[in-house]
Amino acid sequence: QLVEAANERNVRIYTVQPAGQAADINGAMTMLATETGGSHVQGTNQIGLILDRIGEDLSCFYRIGFRMSPRHTGGTQRIVDRIGESDTRYRARYRRTLTDPTREQQERETVLAAYLAPAAARAFPVAVTARRLFDHPGGTRFRIEVSVPLEGLLIRPSPSTGGSAVTLLIGGQVVPLRSHPSPARSRDQDPWWDVDPKKKTWGFDRRAEIRLPASVGNPHAPSRAVYVNEFDAPPGDYRIVVVAEDGLTRSVSTALVDLTARASAAILGEPLVGFLDSGALIFGSSAPTASEVGPSGSKSKTLAPAGPSIPSKLSVASQGDPVLPASVTLLYPVCPPEESLGKSRNAEKNGMRALPWQLQRELTCGEASVHLPPLTLPGIPQGADCSLVVDPVPPEWLHPGPCRMEITLEGPGAPQEVRVAQFQVLSTARPVKKSP
């Protein structure tokens, strides 16, 4: 691996074995030198002589390249370089072998190279965001969204459906950082220098065969594929490194984003605005097992994959984003204190822990305000300490323009907590525009 990395970066390695040590002609040090075009010096402690030999070697050299069509055998090919008709007049120093990787090895190495040097992998546009769903006593739950415009991928016809199809591979790593996130420019150049190797990371991946309907004359045809996943992280700084691969062309692109997790003792979190985005084809990973779900997993100070808490096919808008009235759903994070959950265990039914509170909601769109009926909180599933309350908003309550939903938590033994969600309601004649 070291030889391959050096050759890819035009680095030659010169190795030295001091006098007094046993000869190691066929050892690793010799191999590092010969396979990268350097040389191996042994049997001397004269540093000046060693540096003179390196200087002489670097004063004159030729670089010769050639193409080799891969046969994907997984074997090693031998390289022989001869100069002139006589092998005694000149001596050539060059790498002696070349690996012919299998298709799986080639794909793995391509993806690994993209992880190590993200700035060099920009075959097509890709963007990654980490949306904060809610904070809880153990840290923060995030929703990863990786967006790839379909026009950047190779689309093949799909005779069985009359439409077309693409193959997309998404993989990524969530890694903890030693310090605060570095500036974007430094992060892109070397995303791994400030990673904390002593803390655990979390990886995700998914291969998707995406079927596209016939788009001729269809203004609402999807324009991008969006991979979604959720995870819990204890307080601290993190970086997400994502690699997307076009399954047909084997081209790769990368994207990075930094995030900060924090703990909170609040019962009612900041509300989220969900909506149906006709321009997005949303897919994700399968839900983890119950033992892996929820903030309880992150209390052990490790990253934990989380079960999906947002209904499938829903996108999440930022505060003030435009949405269509027929698709608005409010999501309220609720994380009751442990003592409240303990009291509710006597009322458990069907694996749910009841909550003795309700939400008061007031919706204001333009000049019109309406007090909605109180919303009784559903139970918290067993194995989880938090839940997202799903509240679809009837379209008849919404009017084009800025809207504001004020949510108040009320109930015995609960401090009054007020949260606000703001969004823009579009006319049904206007399409939602969302950048990839």
Side-chain angles (χ1 to χ4, degrees):
Q1 291 177 342
L2 179 58
V3 167
E4 290 177 357
N7 285 323
E8 289 174 358
R9 292 161 176 80
N10 297 319
V11 172
R12 282 187 280 176
I13 298 177
Y14 293 82
T15 58
V16 178
Q17 182 150 339
Q21 299 294 321
D24 188 20
I25 301 301
N26 298 316
M29 300 293 281
T30 303
M31 187 271 288
L32 288 176
T34 56
E35 290 299 296
T36 60
S39 65
H40 176 65
V41 180
Q42 64 183 36
T44 180
N45 290 327
Q46 299 181 25
I47 301 298
L49 176 60
I50 297 170
L51 297 178
D52 287 343
R53 289 186 181 180
I54 296 175
E56 180 182 353
D57 186 39
L58 297 178
S59 64
C60 181
F61 65 91
Y62 292 88
R63 178 170 295 163
I64 301 174
F66 61 93
R67 293 185 179 274
M68 187 187 81
S69 299
R71 289 177 287 178
H72 304 295
T73 62
T76 299
Q77 305 295 324
R78 181 171 174 79
I79 300 175
V80 179
D81 187 0
R82 295 186 177 90
I83 303 177
E85 297 179 355
S86 173
D87 292 338
T88 59
R89 185 174 179 183
Y90 301 101
R91 183 179 61 183
R93 198 157 57 239
Y94 56 92
R95 58 182 303 183
R96 308 289 177 170
T97 60
L98 181 66
T99 301
D100 179 33
T102 63
R103 296 184 185 277
E104 293 75 15
Q105 289 172 335
Q106 191 173 30
E107 180 177 337
R108 184 169 58 250
E109 290 172 1
T110 300
V111 172
L112 179 59
Y115 272 118
L116 297 178
R122 295 288 189 268
F124 50 85
V126 59
V128 57
T129 59
R131 296 189 178 276
R132 182 185 300 274
L133 297 186
F134 54 82
D135 300 325
H136 51 78
T140 299
R141 172 169 290 192
F142 291 98
R143 173 183 166 103
I144 300 173
E145 297 181 6
V146 183
S147 177
V148 180
L150 295 176
E151 64 182 6
L153 305 173
L154 180 60
I155 300 178
R156 67 179 186 275
S158 179
S160 60
T161 62
S164 53
V166 297
T167 302
L168 182 62
L169 291 82
I170 299 289
Q173 290 284 331
V174 184
V175 294
L177 304 179
R178 286 192 296 259
S179 57
H180 292 291
S182 56
R185 183 177 179 183
S186 300
R187 180 190 66 196
D188 291 341
Q189 292 174 346
D190 186 1
W192 305 102
W193 75 271
D194 50 354
V195 170
D196 190 342
K198 296 180 180 179
K199 297 181 180 178
K200 290 187 177 181
T201 65
W202 175 58
F204 55 92
D205 62 86
R206 170 69 192 276
R207 179 188 180 97
E209 299 287 340
I210 302 174
R211 308 295 177 180
L212 305 175
S215 58
V216 178
N218 182 5
H220 302 293
S223 60
R224 65 191 186 281
V226 181
Y227 168 86
V228 298
N229 208 331
E230 296 181 15
F231 70 98
D232 283 297
D237 296 314
Y238 299 87
R239 176 167 299 143
I240 302 177
V241 183
V242 170
V243 175
E245 182 183 31
D246 186 330
L248 295 180
T249 65
R250 303 297 185 186
S251 57
V252 297
S253 285
T254 57
L256 307 172
V257 67
D258 290 342
L259 53 108
T260 300
R262 63 196 180 206
S264 173
I267 297 176
L268 182 61
E270 295 298 327
L272 305 166
V273 180
F275 67 101
L276 295 175
D277 186 355
S278 61
L281 283 169
I282 298 177
F283 64 99
S285 297
S286 58
T289 61
S291 62
E292 298 173 322
V293 173
S296 349
S298 59
K299 289 179 180 177
S300 61
K301 302 301 180 183
T302 61
L303 294 171
S309 56
I310 295 181
S312 60
K313 307 305 180 184
L314 272 187
S315 295
V316 180
S318 300
Q319 288 280 359
D321 274 0
V323 293
L324 288 172
S327 66
V328 177
T329 298
L330 274 296
L331 304 163
Y332 314 123
V334 179
C335 297
E338 179 61 30
E339 56 269 21
S340 299
L341 290 175
K343 293 177 183 178
S344 70
R345 287 192 174 94
N346 295 327
E348 290 177 5
K349 184 179 181 180
N350 297 327
M352 304 290 283
R353 289 174 284 181
L355 298 176
W357 306 310
Q358 62 182 12
L359 299 177
Q360 300 290 345
R361 301 162 296 155
E362 181 178 1
L363 176 64
T364 302
C365 289
E367 300 297 327
S369 295
V370 57
H371 286 276
L372 307 183
L375 182 65
T376 301
L377 293 180
I380 298 291
Q382 286 291 348
D385 296 341
C386 298
S387 180
L388 273 179
V389 180
V390 180
D391 181 20
V393 182
E396 58 268 21
W397 293 347
L398 301 170
H399 306 287
C403 288
R404 181 179 188 272
M405 178 79 87
E406 183 175 290
I407 307 99
T408 304
L409 175 70
E410 293 183 348
Q416 189 177 68
E417 296 184 359
V418 180
R419 302 289 184 265
V420 173
Q422 301 185 68
F423 51 96
Q424 290 275 346
V425 174
L426 295 176
S427 167
T428 54
R430 295 170 57 192
V432 177
K433 294 184 178 180
K434 189 176 177 66
S435 58

